Amino acid sequence: AMRIRLLLAEIAAVVMVLLPIFSFSGALGGGLARLGAAGIRTTQTSTRSFLSMRKIPVGAVSSEKGNASSPPSPPWKRVNAPVYSVSTKDPQRKGNMNIATYVSAASLARAPESKKYYSVALFKDTRTHENVRRDNRLLLQLLNTGHAELVEILGRQSAKDIDKISKLGEIGEEIAWKDGFPYLSSSTAVCDLHNCGWIDAGDHELGKETPHTRAKTTQRR
């Protein structure tokens, strides 16, 4: 009789362990079935496939409104790129800044004698483009999330219509100066660049820039 009771107790213990597993597997299977009905790729819903489930590959999820055969968006609409501001000055030493995202490091400069190069694409027929074309020099500023409200002034308005540096002062931005070039004191980094070549890029012109001073790094709090 004691052996029977121990055997029954062991069976009950096994059932108590397995029941939640099968219940969870069933609930998961139902959930996966609903996801499959909604157009999302899933694995099999059996307990065995649940135990050997793999991660769903990137790109396996499709939109209910989308078409699997439709082409993906172009990369320039999807990349979360750093945001920069190019600082220049007019012949009257009047400063100006813009918003630039078509900016990239273009060399490693591993050897001590080699130079670091950047590519900076500038919109044609803008004050920034005119100034860099004339002076062959610019300050490249790396912005951060604290500068989000400045995009309206620096990127969506023209220096031919407003004085951007005065506008920045009116909203409390601290402006520093280097050789007549203004820059934001709160910039994450600032690099003094010299232009050494141009490539036509349609509505932009791609400048080949090299720093002739080290980047100044500060962090906005």
Side-chain angles (χ1 to χ4, degrees):
M2 183 60 67
R3 289 181 179 180
I4 294 175
R5 289 181 182 179
L6 291 174
L7 180 61
L8 290 175
E10 291 176 358
I11 293 174
V14 171
V15 171
M16 291 299 292
V17 170
L18 293 180
L19 184 59
I21 295 176
F22 285 108
S23 298
F24 177 70
S25 176
L28 178 67
L32 291 175
R34 289 191 293 273
L35 290 176
I40 299 176
R41 179 179 174 182
T42 62
T43 58
Q44 296 291 327
T45 58
S46 66
T47 303
R48 178 175 297 178
S49 64
F50 159 67
L51 295 176
S52 62
M53 186 184 299
R54 301 185 306 274
K55 292 183 179 179
I56 300 176
V58 175
V61 179
S62 59
S63 170
E64 295 181 40
K65 297 182 180 179
N67 187 337
S69 61
S70 61
S73 300
W76 57 86
K77 290 187 176 181
R78 302 175 63 89
V79 177
N80 183 17
V83 178
Y84 297 85
S85 174
V86 171
S87 170
T88 61
K89 63 179 179 180
D90 295 345
Q92 301 79 18
R93 298 181 67 86
K94 180 182 178 182
N96 180 51
M97 299 182 193
N98 76 345
I99 291 293
T101 55
Y102 294 173
V103 177
S104 177
S107 66
L108 292 176
R110 288 179 173 175
E113 67 278 6
S114 62
K115 291 184 178 180
K116 183 72 175 179
Y117 287 98
Y118 288 88
S119 62
V120 180
L122 300 176
F123 228 123
K124 295 178 180 178
D125 301 321
T126 61
R127 185 63 55 83
T128 296
H129 181 251
E130 293 173 4
N131 291 343
V132 177
R133 262 293 187 177
R134 182 189 60 255
D135 297 333
N136 287 321
R137 188 178 175 186
L138 60 95
L139 296 187
L140 183 65
Q141 310 173 83
L142 176 60
L143 305 185
N144 52 63
T145 55
H147 298 115
E149 71 277 6
L150 303 186
V151 174
E152 183 65 32
I153 297 175
L154 301 183
R156 295 178 180 170
Q157 300 186 63
S158 172
K160 298 177 180 180
D161 301 323
I162 67 167
D163 184 337
K164 297 185 180 182
I165 305 306
S166 296
K167 285 286 186 182
L168 292 172
E170 291 173 7
I171 63 173
E173 282 292 330
E174 182 180 347
I175 306 297
W177 297 82
K178 175 179 173 57
D179 300 336
F181 290 83
Y183 65 92
L184 299 167
S185 298
S186 54
S187 295
T188 300
V190 181
C191 192
D192 191 344
L193 298 177
H194 173 74
N195 178 270
C196 52
W198 294 96
I199 299 175
D200 185 77
D203 54 8
H204 282 66
E205 193 165 27
L206 185 65
K208 179 183 176 183
E209 321 291 345
T210 183
H212 52 84
T213 60
R214 287 192 174 185
K216 165 187 171 292
T217 58
T218 57
Q219 183 64 46
R220 182 170 183 159
R221 299 297 180 184

